[in-house]
Amino acid sequence: MYGDDATVRKILTESGDTWAVVGLSANRQRAAYGVAQVLQRFGKRVVPVHPKAETVHGEHGYASLADIPFDVDVVDVFVNSELAGAVADEAVAKGAKAVWFQLGVVDEEAYGRAREAGLDMVMDRCPAIEIPRLG
């Protein structure tokens, strides 16, 4: 398990409310779309990051993390595991406090790099499942 319950709770309740969701587009069929709605319902600002830079759920989108002109607290990653490590490195460069790799997204080396850089990190879990469990 990459990210114990204490880390999950910390990211969801203490790390901040601005979440960049990498892979979020206006495609309602993708998991990122629904998860972003749940995050918003629980008070998170969701910033879409996708090559199309679409506006999603009322938030302006950006093509990359580097393009976001304000601080981001958590980077939520909805890309294939092969691409996720680079996103984790971008999150470190952006100054994020935490990285969250979604269900099925695993990169042990990226996990190590992010933790070594001082970021909290969770892999292979979903915040939309975890938030309601906080109670």
Side-chain angles (χ1 to χ4, degrees):
M1 181 71 70
Y2 300 97
D4 57 31
D5 287 342
T7 302
V8 168
R9 179 175 293 278
K10 181 180 178 187
I11 292 172
L12 291 172
T13 63
E14 300 173 25
S15 293
D17 291 331
T18 302
W19 285 52
V21 181
V22 179
L24 175 58
S25 70
N27 183 345
R28 295 172 182 261
Q29 304 305 311
R30 305 290 298 177
Y33 190 89
V35 170
Q37 281 182 310
V38 172
L39 289 169
Q40 280 188 323
R41 236 185 344 256
F42 282 91
K44 307 299 182 191
R45 178 183 184 190
V46 172
V47 181
V49 179
H50 189 278
K52 294 180 182 177
E54 298 173 300
T55 295
V56 184
H57 301 310
E59 287 285 346
H60 178 74
Y62 297 90
S64 71
L65 286 174
D67 291 342
I68 300 173
F70 48 84
D71 291 340
V72 169
D73 301 311
V74 181
V75 176
D76 190 5
V77 182
F78 278 93
V79 300
N80 294 330
S81 296
E82 299 79 41
L83 304 173
V87 176
D89 295 338
E90 291 171 25
V92 170
K94 180 73 180 160
K97 299 173 190 165
V99 178
W100 191 300
F101 280 9
Q102 283 293 324
L103 290 171
V105 181
V106 175
D107 182 329
E108 294 179 11
E109 291 178 5
Y111 182 87
R113 289 193 308 272
R115 297 291 296 138
E116 192 172 294
L119 280 69
D120 290 315
M121 186 161 177
V122 171
M123 284 196 308
D124 197 24
R125 291 175 84 167
C126 179
I129 294 170
E130 302 298 335
I131 286 176
R133 292 180 48 213
L134 293 177

